[in-house]
């Protein structure tokens, strides 16, 4: 994956989507909670769970710790895997309360490697969740690589390394470690893959079709059938 191929992809997405202003949330802890809840579910379900947490003022580390496990499970139920996610939120809240005096944003003053290691040590936080928290809640230049990113790169014919870390580094270097640019790049990829480059891609309306391998192959397939 070359710097030029990432920049071409980024610029084409930017022309179409502009600045999406992600991540929609009132504070950094809400972003971290959203990053945990969004695992294996749609954002609509996360919004429902977050609204339930907010309603009674439960969207802060101290309140999450005070809630009974069953109460918290019930509140985050709309996000699916609610027992597991309630346990993950308890662990995150315990960490923030004990190590950061209740303020997750204090993590942003630590070195990035340390922050990532600390987040990954928490149950339920894998690379994608850790990078979402770092990028959107802590404003650190840590690109989020998700299944959408890998699918889009494959379809576009942009060859890339197999490892999560290599793809992440390639984006971070190409986009020069700029937090806003990295944040918007991930947002644009997610939106594009949810609306156009879906499981069944809608290549006919895609702004990337001119430079996409999959679209080219489809076109050639149709031409061959006609001849
Ligand atoms: S042209 Fe089709 S396969 Fe390629 S990025 Fe667009 S929607 Fe996806």
């Amino acid at each position: 994956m070359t710097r030029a191929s990432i920049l071409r992809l980024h610029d084409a997405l930017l022309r179409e989507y502009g600045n999406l202003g992600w991540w929609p949330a009132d504070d950094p802890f809400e972003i971290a909670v959203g990053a945990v809840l969004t695992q294996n579910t749609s954002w609509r379900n996360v919004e429902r769970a977050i609204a339930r947490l907010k309603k009674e003022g439960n969207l802060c580390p101290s309140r999450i710790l005070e809630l009974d496990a069953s109460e918290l499970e019930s509140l985050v139920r709309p996000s699916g895997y609610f027992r597991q996610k309630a346990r993950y939120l308890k662990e995150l809240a315990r960490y923030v309360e004990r190590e950061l005096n209740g303020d997750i944003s204090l993590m942003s003053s630590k070195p990035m490697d340390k922050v990532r290691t600390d987040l990954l040590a928490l149950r339920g936080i894998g690379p994608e969740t850790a990078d979402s928290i770092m990028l959107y809640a802590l404003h650190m230049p840590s690109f989020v690589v998700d299944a959408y990113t890998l699918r889009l790169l494959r379809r576009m014919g942009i060859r890339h390394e197999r490892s999560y870390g290599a793809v992440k580094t390639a984006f971070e270097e190409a986009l020069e470690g700029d937090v806003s640019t990295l944040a918007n790049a991930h947002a644009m990829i997610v939106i594009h893959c949810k609306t156009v480059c879906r499981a069944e891609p809608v290549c006919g309306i895609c702004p990337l079709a001119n430079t996409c391998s999959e679209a080219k192959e489809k076109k050639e397939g149709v031409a061959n059938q006609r001849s």
Side-chain angles (χ1 to χ4, degrees), residues 152 155-156 192 196-197 201-203 206 208-209 212 214-215 218:
L152 183 60
R155 287 177 172 172
M156 293 287 295
H192 183 66
V196 182
C197 196
V202 196
C203 302
C206 181
L208 308 180
C212 176
E214 181 138 332
K218 276 187 186 171

Side-chain angles (χ1 to χ4, degrees), residues 8 16 35 45 55 67 94 112 134 147 171 180 204 206 227:
R8 259 197 309 277
E16 182 68 14
N45 291 336
K55 198 170 168 203
L67 290 169
R94 198 171 298 118
M112 275 182 61
M134 290 173 73
F171 270 87
S180 317
C206 181
S227 60

Side-chain angles (χ1 to χ4, degrees), residues 151-159 203 208-221:
R151 185 174 77 191
L152 183 60
L153 292 176
R154 178 176 53 75
R155 287 177 172 172
M156 293 287 295
I158 299 174
R159 293 160 67 95
C203 302
L208 308 180
N210 284 343
T211 52
C212 176
S213 297
E214 181 138 332
K216 193 170 162 225
E217 277 169 27
K218 276 187 186 171
K219 233 184 203 170
E220 287 170 357

